[in-house]
């Protein structure tokens, strides 16, 4: 009986002395989290575990990770999670910690005051390329005659491949890449009365994968007529083009013609209204009269074919003071023009050309001059 009492007392002492000591100073006193796993959907990575339950106590948790480099070269270095250095719930969002497509090791431990549990490590390293990609949510609508789609915003790493087509036999399917979700995107201008269908899938370039296509959704624009204002605007615009374009072309042609090939209008005094033969015939009669007048004035006695000499013309011009008109026809006139002109100038006799010409025996047209005192 005595031994039995001693044994009972020893057990009670141990239960009241050693166990509290282990709870305060021993590492193993606080149970470690169990059943670690990663749930990853659409590049959102969530580390989860079974919670440590202590009555009337709030247990916190700390999460750390190792990337491929740390696992290979610095295995004793673990990096605290950005958002889960001291979290209360039995889960941790490690999306911002896993930034590369390589295996990551993850571990978690429980914290109660100054006590910490042992580390529990994820059995298999996690790689983000194993994430589950789901078809994106989408809403399609019509804005007038425009087909509009708005896709679910899954994050900055996502793009979307949208396929749309007119629901008719043998219709070609069109595709468009949408860079960002959460904003309305115009796909196509629809024809009235025709249904259009749309489906989409998510793309993640970082892991080289894509989701399945979403369920097909269709929308239809009723057979509405164009508004009257739009029809009138189109009509008047077409008529304006018909009027303005030809007028502009004609005006431009006029400007180019005036710039490149201007039209020169001769004065009426230089225009020849009669034929050359008639003009020559008329001038012969005038020269005959002129020759008679010149002979009667004593300028020379030679005929029309020869005319006075240069010396006679010069002497006559220097001493002539009458107002009679003298017309000279001579094929040597060019040789003595300067002398006659000087003599006429000294004698204040005006000299000017007139339209009196004759064809000489050599078939050359000579210039006639008139001297007016």
């Amino acid at each position: 009986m005595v031994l039995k009492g001693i044994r009972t007392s020893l057990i009670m002492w141990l239960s009241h002395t050693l166990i509290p000591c282990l709870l305060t100073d021993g590492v193993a006193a606080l149970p470690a989290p169990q059943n670690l796993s990663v749930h990853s959907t659409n590049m959102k990575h969530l580390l989860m575990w079974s919670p440590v339950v202590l009555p009337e106590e709030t247990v916190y948790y700390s999460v750390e990770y190792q990337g491929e480099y740390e696992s290979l070269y610095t295995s004793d270095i673990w990096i605290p999670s950005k958002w889960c250095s001291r979290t209360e719930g039995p889960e941790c969002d490690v999306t911002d910690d896993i930034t590369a497509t390589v295996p990551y090791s993850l571990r978690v431990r429980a914290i109660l005051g100054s006590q910490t549990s042992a580390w529990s490590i994820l059995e298999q390293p996690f790689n983000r390329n194993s994430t589950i990609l789901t078809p994106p949510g989408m809403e399609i609508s019509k804005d007038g005659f425009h087909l509009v789609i708005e896709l679910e915003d899954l994050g900055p790493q996502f793009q979307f491949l949208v396929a749309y087509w007119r629901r008719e036999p043998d219709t070609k399917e069109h595709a468009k890449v949408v860079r960002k979700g959460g904003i309305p995107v115009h796909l196509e201008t629809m024809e009235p009365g025709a249904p259009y269908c749309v489906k989409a899938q998510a793309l993640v370039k970082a892991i080289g994968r894509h989701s399945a296509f979403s369920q097909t959704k269709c929308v239809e624009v009723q057979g509405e007529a164009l508004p009257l204002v739009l029809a009138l605007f189109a009509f008047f615009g077409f008529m304006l083009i018909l009027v303005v374009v030809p007028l502009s072309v004609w005006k431009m042609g006029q400007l180019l013609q005036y710039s490149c090939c201007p039209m020169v209008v001769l004065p009426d005094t230089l225009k020849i209204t009669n034929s050359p033969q008639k003009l020559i015939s008329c001038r012969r009669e005038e020269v005959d009269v002129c020759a008679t007048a010149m002979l009667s004035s004593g300028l020379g006695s030679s005929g029309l074919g020869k005319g006075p000499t240069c010396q006679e013309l010069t002497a006559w011009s220097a001493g002539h003071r009458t107002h009679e008109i003298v017309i000279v026809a001579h094929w040597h006139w060019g040789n003595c023009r300067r002398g006659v002109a000087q003599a006429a100038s000294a004698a204040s006799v005006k000299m000017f050309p007139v339209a009196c010409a004759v064809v000489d025996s050599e078939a050359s047209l000579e210039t006639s001059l008139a001297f007016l005192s």
Side-chain angles (χ1 to χ4, degrees), residues 198-255:
V198 182
K199 62 181 180 180
Q201 68 176 178
L203 307 173
V204 183
K205 287 187 176 181
I207 61 176
R209 292 180 54 209
H210 59 80
S211 71
F213 274 101
S214 62
Q215 291 185 351
T216 301
K217 294 184 179 181
C218 299
V219 66
E220 181 178 349
V221 176
Q222 301 299 326
E224 303 172 354
L226 287 175
L228 180 60
V229 176
L230 182 60
L232 291 176
F233 179 78
F235 173 75
F236 284 113
F238 179 71
M239 295 301 297
L240 183 64
I241 292 175
L242 287 181
V243 173
V244 172
V245 171
L247 183 62
S248 300
V249 172
W250 176 80
K251 187 64 177 177
M252 186 61 68
Q254 293 292 323
L255 292 175

